[in-house]
Amino acid sequence: NYVVTAHKPSNVNLSVTGNFTSAKDTNLIVAKCNRLVIYLLTPDGLQPVLDTTIYGRIATLELFRTAGAEKDLLCLTTERWKFCVLEYDNENGELLTKAMGDVQDRIGKAVDSGQIVHIDPDRRMIGLHIYDGLFKVIPIDPKGALKEAFNIRLEELQVIDIQFLYGCEQPTILLLFQDPKDMRHLKTYEISIKEKDFVPGPWNQQGVEQGANMIIPVPTPLGGAILIGEQTISYLNGDKDDIKTVSMSFTVIRAWGKIDENGSRYLVGDYFGRLYVLVLEHDGTKVLGLKLDILGETSCATTISYLDSGVVFIGSSFGDSQLIKLHPDKDENGSNIEFLETFTNLGPIQDFCVVDLERQGQGQVVTCSGTMKDGSLRVVRNGIGINEQAAVELPGIKGLWSLRESFDAEFDKYLVQSFLGETRVLEITEEELGETEMDGFDHQAQTILCCNVAGDGLIQVTETSLRLVSASMKTLVKEWFPPEGQRITVAAGNAHQVVLATGGSTLIYLKVSGTSVEEVKRTESSQEIACLNVSPLGEGAEKSESSMVVAGLWDKSLVILRLPTLESLTTEHLGGEVIPRSVLFVTLEGVDYLLCALGDGYLFSFCIDSATAGLSDKKKISLGTQPMILSKFTSKNSAHVFAASDRPTVIYSNNKKLLLSNVNLKEVTQMTPFNSEGFPESLAIATETQLTIGTIDDIQKLHIRTVPLYEQPRRIAHQEASRTFCVCTLKVSMDESGEEQEEHFVKLMDDQTFEILDSFKLQEWENACYVISTTFTDDPATYLVVGTAIAVPQEPEPTEGRILVFEASEERKLRLVTEKEVKGGTYCLNSFNGKLLAAVNSKIELFRLADSETGGKELVSECVHRGHILVLFLQSRGDFIVVGDLMRSISLLTYKPVDGQIEEIARDFNANWMTGVEILDDDTFIGAENHYNLFTVRKNTDATTDEDRARLEVVGEFHLGDLVNRFKHGSLVMRGGDSEGPQIPTLIFGTVNGVIGVIASLPKEEFEYMLKVQTALNQVLKGVGGLRHDEWRSFQNERVPTGRESKSFLDGDLIESFLDLRREKMEEVSRLVGMTSVEELCRRIEELQRLH
């Protein structure tokens, strides 16, 4: 199996600021699960400097500066107890490892509440609390080198927070802990490096607020610390009578960030997304009081980092992260916050469904993302969306060009459309498009080419002539005719030059300006000419001359000729049966390319040397099945190429690599950029029946659309028949007395507009656990079935629940057909051969839908299977049922229709706490568990003994490093009809950190080949901070504390990183793999990349 992430983790867990890339830069460093992103603060917002993968889940981040250094170092620890100190290397733009180590102990229970790692403010030591009852110290010597670590015993077992205090002679920690009677206290300890032990500290505080959960150390000259509780915030500095306290209404503070260097103002954020400012009123040395003001509402903050002059980064693992600016005065909504930028976050993905809304064979993933008020649905799809600005019914467009009013005008003014036997012009005035006539144009002929030329001329080429028209007067200046009896068949032009073919094989080169047309040279071609291009190469060279012309010929070859002499420079034979239909010279990210599109939807790309016209790096890709037309456009100041065909595609460059992204439109026949005042940076797009003007989304692989719900979506199902989504949501609100109120709903939404059509409120304490769309035997209707659990606060497990059967009526409202009360929570539902399988607490029950005596419908139980702990997941295929249990891993059951019984055939005897299961093929099943691992099991059909047959054998293990909430079959990419060989089946998964991943089952030879590539890559590439890839991917949980090497899984992210390597590294990898060229490796890895 090949595991790869289509959408990288986007949950922000940690963030720190400092001068990391250089002494003058203000940097923001953000940890997202196992990704480390370094940003630079610029006047235009945050710019990413480096985005790198860490081989481990990042547990803590701290910046510190050693004596005499100009910039900060980054100290990072992972959840598998590795730590490293990193420095930024400006020359190569990479992270250097200054120190690394393993802080794991052989014995000890890891802390439940997360690791705590801090650095003494005077840079004397790093303190780590990673095991209950132990405090580990790594001393730092005056030069900044790390010394040998040692452990100190901590009497306090339940530690809530630890911080180093400022301004102490010896390094001193302040400890917030809970005693066995659930009371919370503060205590200080001095750390003696000589004695390797604690010395009682300067002050203690017995009995603080029970909800106290965070300490903020206050820098000198004030010193001391702030203690944050749920109803009070206090400032303490050892003097018992001098505690300053400010009270607030009940809330849970999740994050804090320091504003001033001297620590007189702090930002704090609570779990409802409210942002407060906490001010310490002081006289310079002593705190006189505390003040707390609310600033406004943001996403629920996980981290708060104050950057500079009122700009703050709010990192969230519950919704989108934000960059905000604080203003001294409130706006009309009573908020001091202005939002500068939003960083999309899909996490936590609690459920998703794969749908093909456009019915184009392209999957889209609709996720349930975010928690509480940040909840939303996200529609994730491959490709680029076009936002329609205007559209008009205009069938039969054969050509499209945009013209400016004068050569130097900034905006386009006219849109020329060519039809069979006529040409029409649309003019834009104040956002209105109206038809106009150009006196000098021949409107009764089909146009072949139209463009602005230097010196304020317009060119129109038809079959019979080339017309030069004055741009200001719109009158004919000059007309040029082809040789006697010949017609113009193809033409191409730029601001100074026109090249055209007459009579099929005569090539004529003309120089044009606003007043003249002169023929420079003509030549006979041995073959008929199919397409031409004379676009000038080079960045920003649109208005200059081209030194060469390319022609695509009917003998399936390309010829590049020098201008003005028309001598042949290069000939490239394309081979195959199909003629070239469109050619284009284009410069992307400073690299010159020649692109050539064939009549069967294949695209050739070459790198071209603009001096010698030598071609290199030939690649062939399929973009559809119909002929296509290539045209260049710019978006956000960079050039891209649009390929108009039955599968319109944008070709763009990233890291000097050509990438493709499909455009979410049906067939496109013509496209031209149309940058007018009313429609800036737009594209004019013609299809068989209409003309559309629209803007294009950001050019990227994945396009994400957000549908905010302002409540938390928990489950989703799509119903094709009624074109709706059914979403189960949870709404949390505060009532008058400050108590939390939870309400649960089942909502019906339109699958195109996402408008809420109907809402059904569940009973008190009733949680929706699952929803599916299903049909029953001998019943034409499609039903939506919701499983619920009634979670009464005092009960350890729900003892009752309901199965609700709804129908989406003709008016698209939810109609409750029947309900069935069950003895427990209905955690999972599955449509099973025209019946309904339900997982209720520890049993599995099979229901059928029957007519009741009162004339309605009812669910009737057919059989029950017991013997599980808590059944959380069900999947079925044929008569087989795969079960995922809370703690007893995966088991396989079968339904015997003859006896009407469900029996267990085999099970995995390992204890795994499951978070998801799915069926890979008839014999293999995949599971995800709560230690962030994936594993696969296979049924032993050919085993000799019954005992072996009853065991599911573990065949694959892999550490994903993220908690999977759901697997679904499906794909994010268009399945082209051109792929060689069988389709590779894919699974999609969604995780807590907002990853959308793809698991593909590769054929055996392909897997073994890629395993060699992975091994070779690991020899060539070293992990950041000295962390090792094989250790990161090893399977590790309570049963296997030391970890086992991963097997039958490939790390797709690592393999695909090959494509971004420098050439010499690529060659090193291909040498290690053996028997392969770099080109062959690139081709095979790019094929895998197309799986997502």
Side-chain angles (χ1 to χ4, degrees):
N1 289 311
Y2 179 81
V3 183
V4 63
T5 56
H7 179 267
K8 302 271 181 282
S10 53
N11 256 16
V12 172
N13 316 69
L14 303 158
S15 67
V16 289
T17 64
N19 314 99
F20 185 63
T21 50
S22 83
K24 298 202 176 56
D25 294 347
T26 302
N27 296 109
L28 170 73
I29 302 177
V30 173
K32 307 177 180 186
C33 188
N34 64 326
R35 263 173 88 205
L36 191 67
V37 189
I38 298 168
Y39 293 101
L40 175 64
L41 183 65
T42 65
D44 307 330
L46 289 175
Q47 277 190 341
V49 181
L50 186 67
D51 182 343
T52 178
T53 304
I54 302 288
Y55 291 147
R57 286 170 61 92
I58 302 170
T60 63
L61 282 184
E62 284 269 322
L63 282 175
F64 70 101
R65 189 175 304 196
T66 52
E70 288 204 331
K71 54 181 190 180
D72 297 335
L73 299 176
L74 179 69
C75 171
L76 170 152
T77 66
T78 74
E79 289 190 12
R80 288 190 174 176
W81 305 288
K82 304 270 187 285
F83 92 99
C84 56
V85 176
L86 305 173
E87 181 181 30
Y88 185 73
D89 169 14
N90 282 42
E91 283 177 16
N92 302 328
E94 328 180 300
L95 294 173
L96 301 179
T97 307
K98 299 284 284 184
M100 51 180 272
D102 191 334
V103 287
Q104 191 168 3
D105 291 332
R106 283 213 304 281
I107 49 168
K109 176 181 172 298
V111 289
D112 288 336
S113 53
Q115 302 179 11
I116 302 175
V117 176
H118 290 298
I119 296 167
D120 164 47
D122 297 325
R123 316 287 177 251
R124 290 168 290 195
M125 63 173 62
I126 305 174
L128 307 95
H129 177 57
I130 50 181
Y131 290 102
D132 285 342
L134 289 175
F135 186 76
K136 186 182 281 282
V137 174
I138 304 175
I140 306 176
D141 75 6
K143 291 194 184 127
L146 303 185
K147 296 279 179 245
E148 192 180 343
F150 57 87
N151 280 332
I152 305 178
R153 287 204 59 81
L154 256 184
E155 293 164 17
E156 295 74 25
L157 291 178
Q158 257 194 300
V159 173
I160 291 149
D161 199 5
I162 295 180
Q163 290 282 1
F164 277 99
L165 291 176
Y166 284 82
C168 301
E169 283 186 16
Q170 289 298 320
T172 305
I173 57 169
L174 177 60
L175 186 71
L176 171 65
F177 67 96
Q178 184 167 317
D179 67 15
K181 294 185 176 146
D182 287 351
M183 299 293 284
R184 296 193 173 181
H185 314 285
L186 283 171
K187 200 167 189 180
T188 57
Y189 285 119
E190 281 184 6
I191 299 165
S192 157
I193 295 184
K194 244 204 313 290
E195 303 292 322
K196 299 194 174 180
D197 204 355
F198 285 141
V199 180
W203 55 276
N204 294 329
Q205 176 71 36
Q206 290 291 318
V208 295
E209 188 202 314
Q210 278 201 316
N213 59 1
M214 263 179 187
I215 304 171
I216 304 179
V218 179
T220 47
L222 298 173
I226 298 165
L227 182 67
I228 294 188
E230 291 172 343
Q231 289 159 318
T232 59
I233 295 181
S234 315
Y235 170 81
L236 309 105
N237 198 2
D239 188 344
K240 292 271 187 299
D241 311 322
D242 205 25
I243 296 174
K244 302 284 182 268
T245 298
V246 57
S247 60
M248 52 184 180
S249 55
F250 176 85
T251 182
V252 178
I253 302 278
R254 285 230 174 102
W256 62 272
K258 183 170 70 176
I259 299 180
D260 304 314
E261 278 308 306
N262 68 357
S264 52
R265 291 181 304 164
Y266 292 88
L267 290 171
V268 290
D270 73 6
Y271 73 136
F272 264 107
R274 289 183 291 237
L275 187 67
Y276 305 86
V277 60
L278 175 67
V279 182
L280 303 191
E281 295 166 332
H282 62 88
D283 58 7
T285 53
K286 188 163 183 267
V287 174
L288 307 171
L290 297 179
K291 212 168 96 204
L292 187 70
D293 287 323
I294 184 158
L295 297 173
E297 218 172 85
T298 63
S299 295
C300 294
T302 310
T303 85
I304 298 175
S305 289
Y306 184 87
L307 293 160
D308 197 9
S309 48
V311 178
V312 182
F313 176 74
I314 305 281
S316 176
S317 38
F318 310 102
D320 289 345
S321 295
Q322 293 159 334
L323 189 67
I324 61 173
K325 189 169 174 66
L326 301 177
H327 292 288
D329 306 318
K330 293 198 179 299
D331 60 15
E332 64 271 15
N333 305 326
S335 164
N336 301 60
I337 295 172
E338 174 198 355
F339 294 101
L340 301 179
E341 203 176 338
T342 301
F343 302 88
T344 306
N345 170 22
L346 297 187
I349 300 174
Q350 294 147 74
D351 194 10
F352 68 92
C353 58
V354 187
V355 288
D356 178 13
L357 295 180
E358 324 266 307
R359 307 206 166 146
Q360 291 186 351
Q362 179 182 357
Q364 295 180 193
V365 169
V366 182
T367 68
C368 292
S369 294
T371 63
M372 308 226 318
K373 72 168 185 68
D374 297 325
S376 63
L377 297 182
R378 306 286 169 124
V379 186
V380 183
R381 60 184 179 194
N382 246 324
I384 298 169
I386 298 282
N387 306 315
E388 194 175 291
Q389 311 275 354
V392 55
E393 291 285 319
L394 261 187
I397 295 180
K398 296 280 178 260
L400 264 187
W401 298 271
S402 52
L403 298 176
R404 301 185 296 284
E405 198 166 16
S406 67
F407 186 67
D408 295 320
E410 187 186 350
F411 291 111
D412 294 327
K413 178 89 171 167
Y414 305 102
L415 194 56
V416 181
Q417 311 124 61
S418 157
F419 301 89
L420 282 175
E422 68 166 329
T423 294
R424 294 186 195 164
V425 180
L426 286 175
E427 177 179 19
I428 186 162
T429 46
E430 275 139 39
E431 302 209 5
E432 293 283 308
L433 276 174
E435 198 157 327
T436 182
E437 296 246 326
M438 297 254 187
D439 299 340
F441 272 25
D442 180 355
H443 283 281
Q444 264 41 69
Q446 177 177 347
T447 302
I448 300 173
L449 170 71
C450 216
C451 62
N452 284 74
V453 294
D456 280 352
L458 306 173
I459 290 281
Q460 182 200 18
V461 180
T462 63
E463 281 196 335
T464 51
S465 71
L466 177 150
R467 302 167 79 94
L468 176 64
V469 175
S470 155
S472 48
M473 309 295 296
K474 317 284 186 281
T475 51
L476 185 64
V477 178
K478 262 238 155 78
E479 191 165 10
W480 176 93
F481 295 98
E484 193 61 38
Q486 293 194 353
R487 290 178 175 277
I488 301 175
T489 51
V490 211
N494 59 36
H496 306 276
Q497 301 158 300
V498 173
V499 177
L500 37 82
T502 63
S505 59
T506 309
L507 190 66
I508 301 176
Y509 166 46
L510 310 167
K511 278 289 291 253
V512 288
S513 70
T515 51
S516 68
V517 179
E518 50 178 298
E519 181 180 324
V520 181
K521 184 84 177 148
R522 65 173 69 184
T523 181
E524 287 297 320
S525 154
S526 57
Q527 289 284 333
E528 282 206 34
I529 295 168
C531 48
L532 291 167
N533 187 261
V534 284
S535 299
L537 283 168
E539 297 274 351
E542 284 76 25
K543 295 184 177 179
S544 46
E545 293 194 17
S546 173
S547 61
M548 47 195 179
V549 54
V550 58
L553 306 181
W554 277 72
D555 68 351
K556 290 82 162 173
S557 68
L558 296 177
V559 181
I560 300 172
L561 310 164
R562 162 87 63 220
L563 291 177
T565 57
L566 292 186
E567 62 179 297
S568 167
L569 294 171
T570 312
T571 305
E572 172 77 31
H573 288 282
L574 300 172
E577 303 293 302
V578 188
I579 59 165
R581 293 294 286 268
S582 176
V583 283
L584 181 66
F585 286 131
V586 66
T587 304
L588 303 174
E589 283 197 321
V591 182
D592 297 330
Y593 293 100
L594 167 61
L595 303 176
C596 167
L598 305 186
D600 58 357
Y602 274 95
L603 174 80
F604 282 98
S605 71
F606 305 91
C607 289
I608 181 165
D609 181 327
S610 53
T612 64
L615 297 179
S616 58
D617 204 11
K618 174 176 175 178
K619 292 199 172 94
K620 180 180 179 183
I621 327 163
S622 158
L623 294 185
T625 54
Q626 302 296 323
M628 59 181 156
I629 295 166
L630 302 171
S631 40
K632 179 182 149 181
F633 70 97
T634 49
S635 160
K636 309 257 192 310
N637 299 331
S638 45
H640 310 292
V641 177
F642 191 100
S645 74
D646 61 330
R647 278 202 354 224
T649 306
V650 168
I651 302 158
Y652 62 105
S653 170
N654 189 0
N655 284 340
K656 312 253 178 191
K657 235 173 62 196
L658 279 191
L659 297 174
L660 309 171
S661 202
N662 30 324
V663 180
N664 296 312
L665 288 173
K666 305 243 176 21
E667 237 167 285
V668 172
T669 52
Q670 298 283 340
M671 191 292 302
T672 184
F674 186 55
N675 178 25
S676 62
E677 269 187 282
F679 306 107
E681 286 223 333
S682 299
L683 306 179
I685 293 168
T687 63
E688 295 285 330
T689 54
Q690 69 169 7
L691 172 67
T692 309
I693 293 176
T695 55
I696 195 155
D697 287 328
D698 287 347
I699 310 278
Q700 62 206 29
K701 271 303 263 185
L702 282 181
H703 174 246
I704 299 170
R705 170 182 166 198
T706 303
V707 183
L709 297 176
Y710 307 110
E711 49 193 77
Q712 179 170 338
R714 311 239 339 235
R715 296 287 180 264
I716 185 168
H718 182 241
Q719 188 171 62
E720 184 66 31
S722 59
R723 304 300 306 259
T724 56
F725 286 111
C726 180
V727 184
C728 302
T729 66
L730 152 68
K731 185 173 183 177
V732 179
S733 52
M734 285 280 195
D735 65 9
E736 309 295 299
S737 61
E739 287 289 306
E740 271 185 34
Q741 295 292 86
E742 281 194 7
E743 298 173 290
H744 294 264
F745 297 94
V746 177
K747 299 196 170 182
L748 194 66
M749 300 171 90
D750 181 282
D751 73 359
Q752 296 292 327
T753 63
F754 290 92
E755 157 196 14
I756 294 177
L757 305 166
D758 197 9
S759 176
F760 177 91
K761 189 173 173 183
L762 298 176
Q763 300 169 3
E764 193 183 20
W765 317 120
E766 186 173 26
N767 288 257
C769 299
Y770 211 83
V771 55
I772 58 167
S773 167
T774 183
T775 53
F776 290 95
T777 315
D778 305 331
D779 189 333
T782 312
Y783 296 100
L784 287 162
V785 186
V786 177
T788 72
I790 295 171
V792 183
Q794 276 69 41
E795 291 182 356
E797 275 304 325
T799 54
E800 47 189 321
R802 294 192 293 170
I803 298 176
L804 306 169
V805 182
F806 293 100
E807 189 176 7
S809 63
E810 306 243 321
E811 299 77 56
R812 298 169 88 188
K813 296 277 180 257
L814 285 169
R815 187 171 71 80
L816 185 61
V817 178
T818 178
E819 59 175 282
K820 173 90 179 167
E821 294 195 354
V822 290
K823 298 270 190 293
T826 314
Y827 293 114
C828 192
L829 298 165
N830 194 300
S831 26
F832 185 73
N833 307 337
K835 295 176 181 156
L836 180 73
L837 261 185
V840 182
N841 278 18
S842 62
K843 63 181 185 187
I844 296 167
E845 199 160 353
L846 184 65
F847 295 97
R848 62 186 164 88
L849 192 67
D851 296 327
S852 68
E853 288 153 10
T854 52
K857 302 265 184 197
E858 62 176 354
L859 285 174
V860 180
S861 170
E862 289 216 338
C863 65
V864 176
H865 182 268
R866 294 185 168 78
H868 309 273
I869 291 173
L870 265 191
V871 181
L872 298 181
F873 307 100
L874 293 173
Q875 297 291 348
S876 64
R877 185 180 274 201
D879 284 334
F880 290 112
I881 304 165
V882 175
V883 177
D885 189 271
L886 171 72
M887 49 198 288
R888 284 173 64 181
S889 197
I890 298 179
S891 45
L892 175 68
L893 315 176
T894 180
Y895 173 66
K896 302 254 171 93
V898 186
D899 328 341
Q901 288 301 319
I902 296 176
E903 290 174 11
E904 180 178 302
I905 313 177
R907 68 172 328 130
D908 172 21
F909 288 99
N910 294 315
N912 285 324
W913 295 69
M914 303 304 294
T915 65
V917 296
E918 185 54 89
I919 297 175
L920 282 175
D921 60 38
D922 289 344
D923 294 340
T924 323
F925 318 116
I926 188 164
E929 47 91 289
N930 69 338
H931 285 79
Y932 318 119
N933 298 307
L934 298 177
F935 64 99
T936 48
V937 293
R938 191 173 59 213
K939 73 171 196 253
N940 282 328
T941 26
D942 40 9
T944 45
T945 66
D946 287 351
E947 190 182 316
D948 284 350
R949 271 201 291 276
R951 172 179 285 120
L952 290 175
E953 176 193 4
V954 178
V955 287
E957 294 180 326
F958 182 74
H959 182 74
L960 181 69
D962 205 343
L963 196 72
V964 175
N965 275 327
R966 182 76 75 233
F967 293 106
K968 291 273 170 85
H969 284 280
S971 162
L972 270 169
V973 285
M974 290 278 232
R975 294 310 186 135
D978 52 276
S979 47
E980 294 87 37
Q983 293 283 343
I984 292 181
T986 56
L987 271 187
I988 298 179
F989 60 84
T991 75
V992 169
N993 278 297
V995 172
I996 292 178
V998 177
I999 299 175
S1001 305
L1002 300 184
K1004 194 163 189 271
E1005 309 80 65
E1006 181 80 354
F1007 177 84
E1008 281 167 3
Y1009 177 75
M1010 285 299 162
L1011 192 59
K1012 280 192 202 155
V1013 176
Q1014 179 171 302
T1015 316
L1017 275 165
N1018 271 327
Q1019 287 174 12
V1020 174
L1021 296 180
K1022 293 289 174 264
V1024 174
L1027 297 166
R1028 292 187 33 196
H1029 180 266
D1030 52 346
E1031 285 179 6
W1032 155 235
R1033 290 304 186 190
S1034 67
F1035 180 94
Q1036 190 174 354
N1037 62 12
E1038 283 153 359
R1039 290 186 290 115
V1040 196
T1042 50
R1044 267 202 299 261
E1045 207 176 323
S1046 71
K1047 56 177 183 187
S1048 22
F1049 277 99
L1050 290 173
D1051 183 349
D1053 293 337
L1054 174 68
I1055 290 174
E1056 286 173 20
S1057 72
F1058 172 81
L1059 299 170
D1060 299 331
L1061 293 180
R1062 294 201 295 275
R1063 181 76 198 193
E1064 59 269 22
K1065 295 255 178 188
M1066 283 188 169
E1067 282 164 0
E1068 206 178 321
V1069 173
S1070 78
R1071 261 204 314 282
L1072 286 165
V1073 173
M1075 310 286 292
T1076 341
S1077 67
V1078 172
E1079 283 68 29
E1080 168 73 1
L1081 255 176
C1082 283
R1083 186 187 64 75
R1084 291 183 72 160
I1085 294 174
E1086 275 168 8
E1087 252 172 46
L1088 285 178
Q1089 210 174 16
R1090 275 192 228 133
L1091 291 171
H1092 64 89

